[in-house]
Amino acid sequence: MQLPSFSTSTGLLGLVLSLARLVSADCECGYSVNATTDQKYQVFTELLESDFTRSQNIKKDTDWVLQNWKIDKNASHGPYGRQTLPSNVVSNPLKDINGDDIGKDGTQSGLQLYVRKLAPGSDLVSVSEVDSRRSDMIYGSYRAGLKTTGINGTCGAFFWYLNDTQEIDMEFLSSQLNDTTSPVNLVLHSPLSLQNGGDASGTPTFKVIQLPFEADEQVHEYRFDWTPGKVSFYADGKWLYDMTEFVPTTPGHIVLSHWSNGNHDWSAGPPEVDAKLLVQYVKAYFNSSSKTRGQDYKDRCKDPKAENAICQIPDQKGAPLVGKNAGSQLPFFFYQQKNKTIGQYVSAEINDATSLLRGGISGALVAAVAVAVLADWL
C-alpha cells in the first residue's frame, strides 16, 4: 500500500483547509489518551473513525481497501493456500439507526468478514481482508469493536502492519475458544519471528491473555496504544499487557483479517461451514508521517493550551453496545459530533464525497475538493 499523495490537489485542499480554519472548532490540536492534566497523557494529531453499523457499502468507503490476492500452501505455511476475495467482506448496516442492533440482513449489524467452507477439490481457502487506505500511521491509539467466530478453524485479527518484522497484532484463534477459555494472542512480530518462518510464539513479544468473557458471544473493544518504546494492549478499556521489545518505529497501516490455512499449530481448520468475524467499528487516533499532514497540523493548531484545542478520547468502559438501549455503552465517535473533526479526513462513501473532508464550509466546494483528493489517493 502506498502512502496517500496529496500533490495534485494541493491548491484546492489548501483553500479548503484555510477556509475551514475560519470556523470555530474543537480538537484542532489533536486527540489525547487521558486528560492533558494527567501525569501520563499522549496527544495524536490524526483521526480515522469508521462506524460499520452505519456504513452502507464497504466497497465504496474511502478509508478502506478490500484485498484481492492469493497465495499457495507453501507461501501460506500450511496444508492449504489462501484466496482473499472482496466478496467475502459484506456490509450489514443497521436496519433502523434508532432501533435495535439488527442489520438489514436480520443479524447483528456491522462489517462481516468471512472464511468460507473449503470448496470440494480446492487447495485454497476463501478468506477476507480489508486494509486502511492510509499507510502513514505512526504511533497512536488503535481500537476495534468486534465479535469473533465460534466456528472452529479460523484466525481473526486486528493489527497494524508495515512488514513481517514491523507488526502489532491482536489475534483470535477459534480453535482455542470453549466454555472455559477465551484467549487473545498479543504479538509484536520481529526479526526473531521472521527467522522462525513467521512463528512468534517462542519470542519475547508473544503473549496469550485469557479474557474475562467469551469473545464469540458479543462485541468487545480491542485496543493497542503504540508509543515510542512501548505497546500497551486493552480489552473493553481494561489494561491487559505491555510490550517494550521490538516496538515498531516506522509508519504503516491497519488491517482487519479473517483467514485459515489448515495449520494445526495456528489457525487450524479450514472451517466445516462458513465462519463470520463481525466488526462494528474501528477508531484510530495517530500521528502521520506525511509532511503535508504535518504542515496542516501546524497551520490549524495555533494554541494547544486553548480551551478544547485538544479533545480527550473517551475510553470504552465495558462491552460496546449499539441500538436504542445502548446507553453509556454506545461507542463514541468524534466525527458524529459537531465541529470536532475540522481539517481531518473522515469516513465517507464515494457517492457521498462531501463527508470526506470536514471543513464546515460550502458543501459544493468540499465535494469538489474531496473528489480531487480521492482521485489522488486512488
Side-chain angles (χ1 to χ4, degrees):
M1 181 146 333
Q2 298 297 312
L3 183 69
S5 168
F6 302 92
S7 58
T8 63
S9 55
T10 299
L12 284 174
L13 179 58
L15 174 60
V16 169
L17 291 175
S18 296
L19 290 172
R21 281 188 288 274
L22 298 177
V23 179
S24 176
D26 296 333
C27 318
E28 290 187 317
C29 293
Y31 307 88
S32 68
V33 174
N34 300 324
T36 56
T37 54
D38 290 357
Q39 185 176 3
K40 293 183 178 180
Y41 74 92
Q42 188 76 31
V43 177
F44 301 109
T45 64
E46 302 289 309
L47 167 151
L48 185 159
E49 293 180 326
S50 295
D51 182 354
F52 294 123
T53 70
R54 300 191 181 192
S55 175
Q56 298 297 311
N57 188 348
I58 187 62
K59 295 178 177 65
K60 296 182 178 181
D61 195 300
T62 58
D63 280 340
W64 299 96
V65 181
L66 300 181
Q67 298 301 295
N68 188 355
W69 47 264
K70 63 181 178 181
I71 55 176
D72 64 22
K73 61 183 180 181
N74 293 324
S76 185
H77 302 292
Y80 298 96
R82 287 179 273 164
Q83 184 165 23
T84 302
L85 295 174
S87 59
N88 289 335
V89 182
V90 181
S91 293
N92 183 35
L94 285 163
K95 186 176 182 179
D96 178 2
I97 62 172
N98 297 313
D100 294 323
D101 184 7
I102 299 174
K104 290 185 176 180
D105 73 355
T107 66
Q108 190 172 11
S109 66
L111 190 67
Q112 303 168 345
L113 278 71
Y114 282 95
V115 175
R116 303 297 184 180
K117 175 184 177 181
L118 189 67
S122 177
D123 61 357
L124 294 175
V125 184
S126 183
V127 301
S128 53
E129 180 178 312
V130 57
D131 296 10
S132 67
R133 189 174 300 277
R134 293 187 68 164
S135 58
D136 60 330
M137 309 171 88
I138 181 167
Y139 306 124
S141 183
Y142 299 86
R143 311 167 185 215
L146 59 87
K147 181 171 71 173
T148 68
T149 184
I151 296 171
N152 183 66
T154 78
C155 174
F158 165 55
F159 61 104
W160 172 95
Y161 182 83
L162 172 66
N163 58 40
D164 291 342
T165 64
Q166 298 269 298
E167 182 176 346
I168 304 170
D169 266 325
M170 301 186 79
E171 299 193 49
F172 305 87
L173 307 180
S174 58
S175 63
Q176 295 178 333
L177 297 175
N178 56 50
D179 292 339
T180 60
T181 180
S182 182
V184 57
N185 296 269
L186 311 177
V187 187
L188 299 189
H189 279 284
S190 68
L192 295 180
S193 58
L194 183 63
Q195 292 172 12
N196 295 332
D199 182 3
S201 60
T203 72
T205 50
F206 176 88
K207 184 71 174 179
V208 180
I209 297 289
Q210 291 295 331
L211 297 168
F213 48 76
E214 294 185 39
D216 60 325
E217 287 197 345
Q218 70 178 103
V219 173
H220 294 274
E221 182 182 274
Y222 302 96
R223 162 185 161 194
F224 53 89
D225 289 358
W226 169 32
T227 54
K230 186 169 74 171
V231 177
S232 300
F233 296 92
Y234 300 81
D236 289 341
K238 294 185 177 180
W239 175 84
L240 297 176
Y241 196 72
D242 288 341
M243 292 186 182
T244 57
E245 297 182 69
F246 300 112
V247 175
T249 58
T250 49
H253 62 279
I254 303 172
V255 181
L256 300 165
S257 73
H258 195 201
W259 61 275
S260 178
N261 65 355
N263 186 328
H264 64 84
D265 290 327
W266 196 248
S267 74
E272 295 183 356
V273 297
D274 291 352
K276 178 177 70 178
L277 172 72
L278 180 70
V279 184
Q280 288 199 323
Y281 63 85
V282 170
K283 300 192 285 185
Y285 310 94
F286 59 97
N287 293 330
S288 171
S289 62
S290 164
K291 292 182 180 179
T292 300
R293 292 301 293 157
Q295 186 59 51
D296 291 340
Y297 175 74
K298 290 179 181 178
D299 290 345
R300 72 175 181 267
C301 179
K302 299 301 183 183
D303 182 6
K305 294 184 179 181
E307 185 178 5
N308 298 326
I310 296 173
C311 295
Q312 183 178 351
I313 306 164
D315 286 342
Q316 182 68 39
K317 297 181 179 180
L321 298 176
V322 173
K324 62 183 181 182
N325 297 318
S328 63
Q329 299 305 103
L330 183 71
F332 177 90
F333 296 90
F334 285 103
Y335 88 90
Q336 294 174 359
Q337 317 301 314
K338 184 178 180 180
N339 289 340
K340 291 187 181 292
T341 56
I342 297 295
Q344 297 287 342
Y345 295 100
V346 297
S347 183
E349 294 186 359
I350 291 175
N351 59 359
D352 184 27
T354 54
S355 298
L356 182 63
L357 181 64
R358 292 298 172 111
I361 58 175
S362 165
L365 178 58
V366 172
V369 176
V371 170
V373 172
L374 178 59
D376 205 23
W377 281 18
L378 297 175

